[in-house]
Amino acid sequence: MSHAADRQIALMVVRVLREAGFDAYFAGGCVRDMLMGVESADYDVATSATPDQVGKLFRHVLRVGAAFGVAVVIVKRKKVEVTTFRSDVSYTDGRRPDAVRFSTPQEDASRRDFTINGMFFDPLADRVIDYVGGQDDLRARVVRTIGLPDERFGEDYLRMLRAVRFATRFDFALDAATADAIRRHAAKITSISGERILDELTKMLLHPRAADALAMLADLRLAHYILPEFHGTDEPCDAGVSPACREGFQPLPSAEEKKFPSFSDQAHGSHNAGETPASCFHAAVARVKFLAATPGRDQRLMLAALLADLDSAAVETITRRWGASNEVRRSAWFVAKHGAAWRDFGRSTGVPPVSRMGVSPMQMPPDDQTSASSRNAIETSVSCAEHGQDARATHGRDARVTPHNAGETPASRAAHVVGDRPMWQFKRLLADEDWPRLLAFWRVQEHLTTGGHACTDRIAARAAAIDVARIAPPPLVTGDDLKSLGLPPGRRMGEILEALYRDQLDERLTTREQALVEARRKCADTM
């Protein structure tokens, strides 16, 4: 597997090209980063050599985009993208040029997106080659298109998202003409594939200034078309979904619902009745802002935090529209499904439900001792090792009072509950691979809602007190056991097995002998 090249490998590629008589320079983002004193993640090279000529100079060359003048040189398992100086002939799909012609460095610079990305650097002469005013805009801290904004965005509408990403990443201002053009063309972002949109959005969400990026997307009206569910546009929700995406992704399997049966609907979404889509978006931005300052965040957690105020069906629609992987889609769905449950699982016995406190849009909790302790707890949750047990894919009715638990006192019954929910519900969440993300989300949600973290502290303490082996243990009773008792396979058998397993998770049944006694009683009642 190849990785992005460092400066030394890229410098070697430039030397080889120059010694062969071709012009060759560092190009694009690596030049910008160098001038800003930022370490670049990768180095690209622009050259007068064609892909075929590049292929004759290096042992390992991938001609992945030869028609567009692009070759990838691999040296010591490091890859350098080498692009021939070119001019793009025309664009008809708002994404890629219809054709290219090889040209000069100056013409090549003029077809790039933003001035700060349009410079070259000659590492042998140690000089910047700037045909587009990129150095001036770096000093002015401005993101500006090269040439007319309408033309640059018309060539590739994804550049509108890239403008937001660069502006917020570097804390730069958007040039006024560039911003106005984005507002004019915002609706056209739906012509870009969901996969490309998600890639840009993920880069924004994983940056510490993620909330600023979301605010700018809303201000430029891009968010209205990327996330119409929050903003109520009339755009069709399937805009931007490639045919392959529509065919390649299916709704989450019913088995997922079986893992989290009707109890989870009570906690469906983290929003409250009466909230508007706009207020949900502001709440999502506040969560993202809090989490963006937390080490260990990942794409799945950040997307879940963004979408969790929507119901899980909407989350499934959005992530499918974006072509997200099944793992990403499932994580976002899981957090949306259980986003409000911290109130129930974290409730202290006899304490009234936690009331919601108003949080102004974009508001961050104060940097006091409480906030610091919450953030530390969230960091612990985000970086928590995933225990890897699978949740049981069983379902059925809520556990009822039965002869073996009817004589319980309130004190003894408390051992079988977490907050005001049964233990079996809690263990099913604990057994899920997304539990660390859910707990991190709960901590943020509680803090933004109440200013504290008492509920999630109680939840974390209860989770830590449960032996991992007791979270998703093998069932004490199986279908074969019920068959031996004379119960035929069918719906009733499934219901009995589910009820027995819930009692086992609640630790009301702790031995096989106890479970078999209860199984005989249930079978006798049925037969």
Side-chain angles (χ1 to χ4, degrees):
M1 181 177 180
S2 300
H3 302 279
D6 55 25
R7 181 187 174 99
Q8 290 305 311
I9 295 295
L11 177 60
M12 185 272 287
V13 171
V14 168
R15 287 186 186 279
V16 171
L17 287 166
R18 294 281 281 275
E19 288 170 1
F22 300 105
D23 291 333
Y25 310 116
F26 290 169
C30 64
V31 180
R32 175 202 66 220
D33 292 345
M34 178 193 69
L35 293 176
M36 294 180 66
V38 176
E39 183 176 353
S40 188
D42 60 82
Y43 285 80
D44 295 334
V45 171
T47 181
S48 58
T50 66
D52 286 341
Q53 291 168 329
V54 171
K56 293 175 182 178
L57 294 174
F58 299 93
R59 179 177 300 177
H60 299 295
V61 178
L62 303 178
R63 294 173 176 81
V64 292
F68 299 100
V70 180
V72 176
V73 175
I74 300 177
V75 179
K76 298 179 180 179
R77 296 189 176 182
K78 300 291 182 68
K79 57 185 179 182
V80 180
E81 188 171 288
V82 179
T83 305
T84 307
F85 299 133
R86 77 185 200 208
S87 292
D88 299 334
V89 175
S90 62
Y91 288 79
T92 57
D93 64 357
R95 175 178 178 179
R96 60 171 69 85
D98 299 317
V100 303
R101 66 177 180 82
F102 299 142
S103 61
T104 65
Q106 187 167 1
E107 289 177 300
D108 185 82
S110 68
R111 58 98 187 168
R112 294 175 180 262
D113 54 7
F114 306 108
T115 60
I116 61 173
N117 297 335
M119 297 173 285
F120 301 112
F121 179 71
D122 183 344
L124 302 183
D126 192 27
R127 67 186 180 97
V128 176
I129 303 169
D130 183 5
Y131 299 109
V132 295
Q135 294 177 94
D136 290 339
D137 283 341
L138 275 181
R139 284 189 286 267
R141 301 177 66 81
V142 170
V143 174
R144 183 195 318 272
T145 59
I146 295 173
L148 297 176
D150 293 300
E151 292 182 4
R152 294 290 81 77
F153 293 135
E155 292 165 353
D156 186 350
Y157 294 119
L158 190 73
R159 287 172 171 172
M160 296 188 290
L161 295 185
R162 285 168 57 82
V164 173
R165 177 161 63 87
F166 290 129
T168 54
R169 174 185 172 187
F170 300 122
D171 194 17
F172 281 14
L174 268 183
D175 164 64
T178 300
D180 289 343
I182 292 175
R183 291 188 181 94
R184 286 194 298 273
H185 295 284
K188 295 173 184 175
I189 195 63
T190 59
S191 66
I192 298 298
S193 73
E195 295 89 340
R196 295 182 78 205
I197 289 172
L198 178 60
D199 182 60
E200 284 296 321
L201 187 59
T202 296
K203 291 174 182 176
M204 295 181 206
L205 289 174
L206 292 179
H207 192 271
R209 296 178 58 85
D212 294 333
L214 293 175
M216 186 175 288
L217 289 174
D219 177 64
L220 297 172
R221 295 192 61 79
L222 287 167
H224 293 66
Y225 298 95
I226 295 172
L227 285 167
E229 292 82 358
F230 278 121
H231 298 280
T233 74
D234 294 328
E235 290 296 306
C237 283
D238 275 345
V241 183
S242 66
C245 177
R246 288 193 186 96
E247 296 170 3
F249 291 91
Q250 301 300 322
L252 286 167
S254 58
E256 294 293 347
E257 292 288 352
K258 293 178 181 180
K259 292 177 185 178
F260 310 103
S262 58
F263 84 85
S264 59
D265 293 332
Q266 303 166 23
H268 199 181
S270 58
H271 59 288
N272 292 285
E275 287 186 337
T276 65
S279 66
C280 287
F281 184 74
H282 288 311
V285 172
R287 281 194 301 271
V288 166
K289 187 170 186 178
F290 202 114
L291 279 170
T294 305
R297 61 193 177 277
D298 65 9
Q299 178 198 32
R300 291 157 71 174
L301 174 60
M302 298 305 290
L303 282 174
L306 173 63
L307 301 177
D309 279 318
L310 303 173
D311 64 49
S312 55
V315 171
E316 165 66 3
T317 298
I318 293 166
T319 52
R320 185 170 182 265
R321 183 167 76 234
W322 288 342
S325 68
N326 288 335
E327 293 77 14
V328 169
R329 293 164 59 220
R330 200 266 177 201
S331 294
W333 172 88
F334 179 81
V335 172
K337 190 78 172 174
H338 305 287
W342 59 270
R343 294 178 175 91
D344 298 333
F345 286 112
R347 193 169 292 150
S348 179
T349 304
V351 176
V354 178
S355 61
R356 183 176 178 86
M357 297 174 61
V359 179
S360 62
M362 309 292 291
Q363 181 179 355
M364 281 294 291
D367 291 326
D368 56 12
Q369 184 176 359
T370 302
S371 178
S373 60
S374 285
R375 196 179 302 279
N376 289 337
I378 292 165
E379 291 177 12
T380 301
S381 300
V382 172
S383 61
C384 172
E386 299 174 357
H387 48 68
Q389 269 79 18
D390 293 327
R392 296 289 163 183
T394 52
H395 68 293
R397 295 172 293 185
D398 288 338
R400 295 168 293 194
V401 175
T402 57
H404 73 277
N405 63 25
E408 287 182 337
T409 65
S412 62
R413 191 173 297 119
H416 308 304
V417 299
V418 178
D420 61 6
R421 295 288 194 90
M423 174 71 79
W424 68 264
Q425 295 180 0
F426 187 59
K427 285 186 177 179
R428 286 224 165 115
L429 295 181
L430 281 181
D432 195 89
E433 67 170 330
D434 283 309
W435 164 252
R437 295 183 180 92
L438 181 61
L439 182 59
F441 175 86
W442 280 350
R443 285 197 182 279
V444 173
Q445 192 71 2
E446 181 183 9
H447 195 99
L448 292 176
T449 301
T450 71
H453 48 89
C455 285
T456 42
D457 279 352
R458 282 192 287 268
I459 290 170
R462 194 64 185 273
I466 299 175
D467 187 338
V468 170
R470 303 202 321 267
I471 292 174
L476 294 171
V477 174
T478 67
D480 289 339
D481 293 322
L482 298 189
K483 286 181 189 178
S484 69
L485 295 174
L487 185 69
R491 178 177 178 179
R492 182 55 183 156
M493 176 181 284
E495 291 174 346
I496 291 176
L497 287 173
E498 168 65 12
L500 291 171
Y501 193 65
R502 288 183 178 182
D503 281 341
Q504 180 182 343
L505 292 180
D506 279 342
E507 299 179 18
R508 301 176 190 276
L509 299 175
T510 58
T511 67
R512 178 168 166 79
E513 290 71 23
Q514 288 177 323
L516 287 173
V517 169
E518 182 64 11
R520 291 189 189 97
R521 187 192 65 77
K522 290 181 180 293
C523 288
D525 289 346
T526 297
M527 297 184 291

